[in-house]
Amino acid sequence: MSLQTMASIGLTPISYGLTSLALSVGVSIDWIMLTGAIFLILCTASLYWKLPAIRSID
């Protein structure tokens, strides 16, 4: 749990920087949110597919 928290907090400045850069280049916030949501769904689906322990409920 602590590693997840550290990764989340550690990646926040990078996320802010990339979002600010995309906005300054002229990318709309709608496109940024859509891209992020699709990326998150793909990552979650791939983890769900590759790790059978997530699919089973005890």
Side-chain angles (χ1 to χ4, degrees):
M1 188 68 177
S2 63
L3 288 175
Q4 290 176 341
T5 303
M6 184 180 72
S8 173
I9 292 171
L11 292 175
T12 300
I14 295 170
S15 174
Y16 286 166
L18 290 175
T19 303
S20 298
L21 180 67
L23 287 171
S24 68
V25 171
V27 179
S28 71
I29 192 68
D30 295 335
W31 182 252
I32 295 170
M33 295 294 288
L34 179 64
T35 306
I38 290 171
F39 179 72
L40 183 60
I41 289 169
L42 290 175
C43 286
T44 303
S46 70
L47 284 175
Y48 183 77
W49 180 64
K50 288 184 178 187
L51 299 173
I54 294 174
R55 287 181 265 154
S56 65
I57 299 174
D58 292 335

